[in-house]
Amino acid sequence: MLWLLLKTIGLVYVVRRIRTVLQARSFGPDVVKIYPFLSPMHPLGFIFPDLRFFRVVGFHWKERASLYEGNALRTIVFVPLLMGEPFVFTGNIDAFYNNLALNSDWIKADNPALREFGDNVVTSIGQTWKRHRRITAPAFNQDTYQNVWDTTAWVYREMMDKNGWRGVAETSTFNINEATHKVAIFLVTIVGFNIPMNWTEPKRNADGRLSTQSMILTIAGSLMQRGLLPRWVFKLPFQKFREMEEAFSTFEEFMVARIEARETEIERLRATGSDEELGETLKDVFGRLVHARMADGKSSMSDREIIGNCFAFAFAGHETSANALAALLGLLALYPDEQEWVYKSIVDTVGDKEMTFEDYDHLDGVLACLYEGLRLFPVAWLLAQVSGQDTVLSLSIGKRERKEVCPSSRGDDVFDRHCRTSL
């Protein structure tokens, strides 16, 4: 009986895989198709090393110069033979227009890592996204940007002093990526949550609980694993998994307590002034979201939505910011002439006075360097979309009118690849 059951399951599996492969024929003869054993975007692609016979997550960056070589449509359909669903990889400009157009048939792919604590403006779609955006958008204003400037200056001074870098001619070799990640996570944590942070802090408090810094840094370093692995894995007797579980559970408890404390503070301020004055008082993003939740009507938010939005802003934003800074500083170190040029542009703009927020709009040289760093090493070089309904993906070849149509069923994945361009 068991043998018959196993044979039946095996037969169904083989038939489904054959059906998947045959369906790929509908993409047309001019669309390049690759038949790997496993999908590179499968969870196992985040675990296995990069092998010649198995592309893993990140292959599109490593092969950015050759992936579409000789491919007129700049599109590849990956059809996994053993596990995973087919998906389309494209750098075709028509695909971008298709996917990003208003009321497009394509929607954001699910991102479980950023939905860890609740739905938010990054992960939601449709009317839910509109509601989240309407509530969160006012939190990003001139006061917030001033806060970002002031906090960045404080974090920079803290880093220089605690690492002993101030006033010295040279320092020992250090990992610039670690430094920029720590700067970025401090910045978004302080500005986003109004959580005080110290550059040097013990891993655990006197009561044995994770310190705030350790909790935040552990979460920042384990988002991918948390989003991909089932919850029971974090209960296994391995220290790394248990530390991740402790960090995420501690963060949720921490945020719930902060929501309660902030509501009490808002109620006290409401009793002494108007809502307009209160809105000016609450400068951080977290405070504005709590204030919106306490308001009536369309601006109501649940605890999980508040935590989810703050979580997404902090932990989705810190990675891109940190990598952009690391690329910029690395390139300036490699090209001292350009480093001297941007230094002189800052001196010409600011002079010998302390820089202020009002100088920000005039630092054109710094902005130009940042843009060039992002062009050479884009921090967001992949956009994942899913077809929200049965549709087609139209592709053009150069400037010609001929189109190749890729039929896509609801739930199919497409990845728009942002490539480095040389002008």
Side-chain angles (χ1 to χ4, degrees), residues 352-367:
D352 57 359
K353 71 179 182 67
E354 184 79 14
M355 276 194 292
T356 65
F357 180 57
E358 287 67 32
D359 297 316
Y360 171 78
D361 289 331
H362 306 292
L363 297 173
D364 296 333
V366 177
L367 185 63

Side-chain angles (χ1 to χ4, degrees), residues 286-305:
F286 172 70
R288 288 184 176 275
L289 294 184
V290 174
H291 183 222
R293 196 279 292 278
M294 295 177 68
D296 296 327
K298 295 182 178 180
S299 292
S300 62
M301 293 186 96
S302 67
D303 278 4
R304 287 194 61 82
E305 286 177 325

Side-chain angles (χ1 to χ4, degrees), residues 40 84 87 114 126 141 185 248 261 266 272 290 316 319 351-352 377 388:
F87 65 88
L114 292 181
N141 52 38
I185 199 64
F248 278 86
I266 290 174
T272 59
V290 174
E319 186 79 16
D352 57 359
F377 297 96

Side-chain angles (χ1 to χ4, degrees), residues 17 41 47-48 71 79 115 165 222 236 270 277 303 309 344 355 400 414-415:
R17 299 318 302 174
M41 310 309 290
I47 300 173
F48 287 171
N71 186 338
V79 187
R115 278 194 297 100
W165 295 343
S222 56
L236 296 176
R270 274 182 171 177
E277 293 172 339
D303 278 4
N309 275 290
K344 287 182 177 178
M355 276 194 292
R400 286 188 280 166
V414 64
F415 295 86

Side-chain angles (χ1 to χ4, degrees), residues 408-421:
S408 299
S409 301
R410 179 174 181 175
D412 283 353
D413 294 321
V414 64
F415 295 86
D416 294 327
R417 177 168 163 267
H418 298 256
C419 304
R420 184 185 71 172
T421 57

